[in-house]
Amino acid sequence: MDERCRAVAALIFAAEHSMSLDRLCQLFDCSRSELRPVIAQLQELYPIQVGGFYLAEVAGGYQFRTDPDLAPWLSKLSRDRPFRFSQAALETLAMIAYRQPVTRGEIEYLRGVDSGGVLKTLLDKGFLRILGKKDVPGRPLMYGTSKHFLEFFGLKDLSALPTLKEFSALEPTLDPVVAAESATMTDDRPVPSHQFTNEVEPTTE
Amino acid sequence: MDERCRAVAALIFAAEHSMSLDRLCQLFDCSRSELRPVIAQLQELYPIQVGGFYLAEVAGGYQFRTDPDLAPWLSKLSRDRPFRFSQAALETLAMIAYRQPVTRGEIEYLRGVDSGGVLKTLLDKGFLRILGKKDVPGRPLMYGTSKHFLEFFGLKDLSALPTLKEFSALEPTLDPVVAAESATMTDDRPVPSHQFTNEVEPTTE
Amino acid sequence: MSIAISLHNFDGPLDLLLHLIKTNEMDIADIQMVEITEQYLSVIEHMKQLDLDVAGEFLLMAATLIYIKSKMLLPAIEEIDGEEDELDPRAELVRRLLEYQRYKDAANCLDQLPCLKRDVFLRQVVASDADGDRVDDDISIGIYQLASAFHHLLKHSQVKFVHEIVREQLSVADFVHKILDQLSRCGQQSFADLFPNGGTRQEMVVTFLAMLELVKMQMIKISQSADFQPIWLSLAVSSTEVDPANLDEGALGYG
C-alpha cells in the first residue's frame, strides 16, 4: 500500500470517533473521489471476522471496531458492566429514532405515560439532540437522535435502522392530532432530520 | 484464523494498556507456550509499515501502534482536530448565550473563576462578538453570541434556545434554581439581561 | 386469570393492555371490551389493595376502557344529521395499541443491534493531548449540552446571590435630634405622628430606636390616658438642658 493509504488507516485507527470522508479529504487535501478507492482498499485489508477487528462504516464515517461475535471474550476485559437500557428508555429511543423530529407530547401520546425522566436520561447519555422548536402553539422542543446514537448501535446512518415492515405501512395512521401537527411543520426546521451524517463535529477553519 | 487468535487480537486492540502475555494466559486460561504461536501469527498479520498500524511489543506486552514513519500525518490530526468544548468553555458560552449582553466581570461573578482565557478562546473561534461597552464605571466590554454560534448549534435565532423552564420540565422535580430563574423570565425566551445580579435569585423582601 | 401482575412490570397502560390482549389470545382488531375492561380493572384494583401507587395514566386508561365499553353496549342510533360513518368506538384504542406494539418491536430491534461496550469495542483512546481543560467525553455538543451547562452553572454556582442592599446610613442620632426638635417646638406629639406616611421601614425602625434612646436617657416622657388611646410624647427636661454633643452616634452606641 502507498503511504497515503497507510496514513488513512493510521488516522482512522488513531481517531477518537468515527472519521468522516470529508474530514479525511480535509486532512489529505484531496477530493472525495480520490479517497473512495483508498477506503475500499482498506475495507478489503481489514474485513470483518478475520483479524479480530475490522474497518466499519459507522455514524457517517469510518472506525475500527472489534468483531461482534467476539463479545463474550471482550466482556471479560471491561471492568464496568455494560450500559443497559431500561425497556422504557429503549422504547422511547426507538420512537424518536423512527419518527424524528418528534416532541415530548407526541412521545407521551404514543407511550401513554409521562416521558420527561426518560427523555432527560437519554439526553444526558448523549443519545438525543434537541432539533429546535416546533412551529405550533407552545413551540415545544423537537427531539432527534445524535451521532453518538449511530455510533453506539453501529449504524452507518439513519437509513440503516432496521426496517419494520408493518411499521412503515401503518405509519401514516398516527392519531389525527399528531398528523395535523406534522402537516403544519415548517420547512425550515433548524436541522433536517435525515442529514445526520453531517452532524460530525465542526472543523476549525 | 481461529476464534482464539481473533479474540487475542481483539483484546489487544481494545485494551486500555499494553497486554502482557501473562494476562492473556489468564484470560484464555492457557499456558504461555500455547499463546506464543498465536502472537507470532498476529505479528505476521499485522506487520509494521504495511497497513498503517502494527502489532508492537512494548513494555512487557503487546499493543497496536501506528507506524512511526506516519507520525507527521498523525500530528496533523491532533493539530487540526476540531474544536472541542471544555466544560469551562461550554459553561461560559452558555452563560453568554442566555445572559447577553454580559460583561467579563458578570461571567466571573457567576462562574467564580477567572474567565479571561476562555473568553479569548471563544472569541477566537468566532462564537462571540463584542456588543459594546457597558455604561458603568470602567466601561467594561459587553459580550454576546455571534452568527457562527447560531449556525454551529443549528439555531434559527436566539429564541430557539430552550428556556430553562423547558429544560427543567424534563425533570420530575422542579428544582428551586430554575424556579427562581424562570420567575425572572417574563418572555418565553432567554432575556437579555442588564440587571444581572438581581435576576438570579428573587429578592428576599 | 392469575393477577400476579405488578404494574411496575409494565411500561404503561398500553403495555398492560397489550399483555392482557395477548394472554387472552384476542384479536387486537376485535378486542372484547367487556372482558378486557374487567381484567384491566381487577389488576388496578388489586394494586390498590396492596396499597401501591397506581399511576394516573393507568387510571385514565381505565376510564377510557369503561367509556368505550359503555358506548358499545348502547344500541347504534341512526344519526339524524346524516353522519353515516359511525366509527367503531374501539378504533382509536386499536390504532394506539398497534402503534405502540410497533415501537415495542422497534425497541427490540434496537436492542439486538451490536451495542458499544456490550458487543463491540473500540480501541481505547490513549490520552495523548493532555493540554488544556478536560474535554467533554464522546458527546458532540448540541443545544441540550448548552442549556445543561447553564443549568449546572446556576445550580452549582459557588457564589451566593444575595440581594444587594444599598445601605442607607440612617443615623439614630439624627432622629433623636429630630424628635427633640419637634418636641421643643410643640411641647408634645402623638406617637403616631412620629411615623409620617411614606416613611420607609428603615426610617420607622430608626425613629423607634431614637425614641427608646430618649426614654432611656430620661429626656422624654411617654403617657397614655387610657388603653387604646393615643400615646403622647413630651419633653422631660427643659429644652435648654438638651446637649446635642452627648447625642452623637458614638455616644448612643450605634457608631
Side-chain angles (χ1 to χ4, degrees):
Chain A
M1 290 212 295
D2 65 2
E3 182 173 320
R4 189 171 65 179
C5 196
R6 283 169 51 227
V8 169
L11 282 172
I12 295 173
F13 177 84
E16 205 172 332
H17 293 292
S18 93
M19 179 76 95
S20 73
L21 199 56
D22 285 340
R23 179 102 172 87
L24 284 169
C25 289
Q26 192 195 352
L27 285 163
F28 288 92
D29 194 22
C30 64
S31 68
R32 294 167 70 100
S33 58
E34 266 181 283
L35 276 186
R36 278 220 183 78
V38 174
I39 295 285
Q41 207 179 336
L42 289 174
Q43 281 173 322
E44 239 170 79
L45 185 66
Y46 297 111
I48 196 163
Q49 294 192 354
V50 171
F53 52 94
Y54 70 107
L55 183 58
E57 194 171 350
V58 169
Y62 301 92
Q63 189 173 50
F64 285 101
R65 343 184 107 200
T66 59
D67 296 334
D69 69 311
L70 298 174
W73 294 106
L74 286 150
S75 56
K76 288 183 184 178
L77 192 69
S78 61
R79 267 159 283 145
D80 34 34
R81 278 168 28 127
F83 172 68
R84 284 213 61 88
F85 284 104
S86 67
Q87 187 58 32
L90 212 49
E91 267 175 33
T92 308
L93 192 55
M95 278 171 195
I96 295 169
Y98 283 93
R99 292 195 58 94
Q100 56 190 309
V102 64
T103 66
R104 174 174 169 182
E106 289 161 357
I107 294 163
E108 288 179 344
Y109 180 80
L110 287 169
R111 291 190 59 224
V113 286
D114 180 278
S115 303
V118 181
L119 269 176
K120 172 120 183 22
T121 308
L122 289 171
L123 279 161
D124 282 341
K125 297 271 180 204
F127 290 105
L128 303 183
R129 293 189 308 142
I130 293 171
L131 299 178
K133 292 184 183 181
K134 194 162 176 171
D135 224 352
V136 294
R139 313 241 304 132
L141 295 172
M142 294 186 294
Y143 299 95
T145 50
S146 65
K147 190 186 164 207
H148 177 64
F149 166 82
L150 295 175
E151 209 174 69
F152 187 87
F153 288 105
L155 299 165
K156 198 170 110 180
D157 50 42
L158 281 179
S159 69
L161 273 172
T163 39
L164 305 167
K165 260 186 291 151
E166 354 73 300
F167 190 89
S168 41
L170 274 150
E171 208 195 347
T173 66
L174 187 64
D175 79 297
V177 178
V178 175
E181 275 178 14
S182 316
T184 60
M185 180 88 72
T186 50
D187 287 333
D188 55 341
R189 323 173 258 214
V191 182
S193 61
H194 50 277
Q195 291 183 347
F196 271 74
T197 49
N198 291 344
E199 198 232 333
V200 190
E201 303 103 305
T203 52
T204 45
E205 283 86 58
Chain B
M1 290 213 296
D2 66 1
E3 184 174 317
R4 191 171 63 178
C5 195
R6 283 170 50 226
V8 170
L11 278 167
I12 295 172
F13 170 85
E16 223 166 310
H17 305 288
S18 80
M19 182 69 92
S20 70
L21 200 55
D22 286 342
R23 178 104 172 86
L24 284 170
C25 289
Q26 191 193 337
L27 284 165
F28 288 91
D29 194 21
C30 65
S31 67
R32 294 167 71 98
S33 58
E34 265 183 284
L35 274 186
R36 279 220 181 78
V38 173
I39 296 287
Q41 207 180 335
L42 287 175
Q43 280 172 322
E44 235 169 82
L45 186 67
Y46 295 110
I48 197 162
Q49 294 195 354
V50 172
F53 52 93
Y54 68 108
L55 183 58
E57 195 170 348
V58 289
Y62 299 92
Q63 196 175 44
F64 284 101
R65 307 194 134 196
T66 54
D67 295 336
D69 68 314
L70 298 174
W73 291 107
L74 288 156
S75 66
K76 199 168 173 356
L77 178 71
S78 56
R79 212 173 42 241
D80 293 0
R81 105 198 130 126
F83 178 64
R84 303 292 308 268
F85 279 94
S86 63
Q87 188 58 35
L90 192 60
E91 265 179 27
T92 307
L93 187 58
M95 153 126 202
I96 294 169
Y98 278 95
R99 288 289 188 199
Q100 55 193 305
V102 65
T103 67
R104 174 174 165 183
E106 288 161 351
I107 294 163
E108 290 176 346
Y109 184 63
L110 187 57
R111 290 194 59 226
V113 289
D114 181 277
S115 302
V118 181
L119 270 176
K120 184 171 182 323
T121 310
L122 288 171
L123 273 167
D124 286 348
K125 298 287 176 195
F127 288 109
L128 303 184
R129 70 203 166 98
I130 291 166
L131 299 177
K133 290 186 177 180
K134 191 160 178 173
D135 213 359
V136 293
R139 313 246 310 135
L141 293 174
M142 293 186 296
Y143 298 94
T145 50
S146 65
K147 204 171 146 232
H148 174 64
F149 165 83
L150 294 177
E151 285 163 1
F152 183 93
F153 286 98
L155 295 165
K156 213 157 47 175
D157 49 48
L158 281 178
S159 75
L161 266 177
T163 61
L164 287 188
K165 207 164 132 197
E166 287 168 329
F167 182 83
S168 64
L170 292 169
E171 285 181 286
T173 50
L174 183 77
D175 58 282
V177 171
V178 174
E181 180 69 11
S182 326
T184 65
M185 293 193 174
T186 44
D187 198 358
D188 196 28
R189 60 185 205 86
V191 178
S193 104
H194 301 278
Q195 293 174 321
F196 165 68
T197 47
N198 288 338
E199 234 184 61
V200 176
E201 263 181 15
T203 57
T204 45
E205 280 164 4
Chain C
M1 190 201 72
S2 114
I3 305 197
I5 289 176
S6 159
L7 284 193
H8 303 285
N9 294 339
F10 293 95
D11 210 28
L14 290 170
D15 204 16
L16 172 58
L17 214 47
L18 264 185
H19 173 83
L20 292 176
I21 288 167
K22 274 181 198 157
T23 7
N24 285 282
E25 294 178 340
M26 273 180 204
D27 178 1
I28 201 166
D30 186 23
I31 303 167
Q32 306 303 303
M33 288 310 297
V34 177
E35 235 175 299
I36 282 294
T37 306
E38 234 166 60
Q39 289 185 13
Y40 184 93
L41 289 177
S42 72
V43 171
I44 301 276
E45 199 48 48
H46 185 67
M47 299 316 292
K48 274 187 184 161
Q49 277 163 20
L50 291 175
D51 244 1
L52 294 172
D53 248 355
V54 177
E57 304 65 60
F58 284 92
L59 299 176
L60 183 67
M61 179 56 79
T64 308
L65 291 177
I66 294 168
Y67 173 74
I68 295 171
K69 190 183 80 173
S70 61
K71 233 183 152 186
M72 289 185 72
L73 291 175
L74 291 172
I77 304 162
E78 296 289 322
E79 290 289 330
I80 307 165
D81 51 359
E83 215 178 288
E84 273 173 49
D85 52 333
E86 175 79 359
L87 276 171
D88 187 332
R90 297 171 298 180
E92 169 73 3
L93 182 66
V94 169
R95 202 162 48 220
R96 282 186 73 185
L97 282 169
L98 285 174
E99 187 81 24
Y100 179 70
Q101 173 69 58
R102 245 160 260 135
Y103 287 112
K104 245 175 107 73
D105 293 346
N108 277 331
C109 277
L110 275 188
D111 203 29
Q112 274 154 30
L113 290 174
C115 296
L116 269 194
K117 290 180 180 172
R118 185 187 76 181
D119 310 307
V120 161
F121 295 79
L122 302 178
R123 192 185 64 83
Q124 295 288 322
V125 184
V126 184
S128 55
D129 31 49
D131 55 278
D133 301 277
R134 208 165 58 86
V135 290
D136 211 69
D137 200 4
D138 53 354
I139 294 166
S140 43
I141 299 294
I143 303 167
Y144 176 75
Q145 283 71 24
L146 194 70
S148 188
F150 190 52
H151 184 254
H152 182 266
L153 191 62
L154 290 180
K155 211 167 167 179
H156 300 276
S157 173
Q158 307 245 306
V159 185
K160 290 275 171 286
F161 289 94
V162 217
H163 176 50
E164 260 181 58
I165 299 165
V166 182
R167 257 186 87 181
E168 275 181 82
Q169 286 295 336
L170 293 180
S171 126
V172 178
D174 286 350
F175 279 78
V176 163
H177 288 299
K178 203 170 137 197
I179 294 171
L180 284 177
D181 271 358
Q182 281 170 5
L183 290 179
S184 325
R185 263 186 279 120
C186 41
Q188 66 171 16
Q189 195 176 20
S190 79
F191 179 73
D193 285 344
L194 277 184
F195 305 101
N197 288 335
T200 66
R201 188 187 299 209
Q202 263 180 315
E203 272 168 18
M204 290 164 76
V205 170
V206 176
T207 306
F208 192 67
L209 283 174
M211 188 190 79
L212 293 179
E213 282 298 338
L214 287 167
V215 172
K216 197 174 102 189
M217 292 186 287
Q218 299 181 333
M219 292 178 79
I220 60 170
K221 274 191 299 198
I222 293 177
S223 55
Q224 188 179 30
S225 55
D227 282 356
F228 308 114
Q229 288 301 301
I231 298 169
W232 290 97
L233 281 68
S234 56
L235 277 180
V237 291
S238 71
S239 50
T240 50
E241 285 178 68
V242 176
D243 179 6
N246 294 333
L247 299 172
D248 64 4
E249 290 284 288
L252 293 170
Y254 289 96

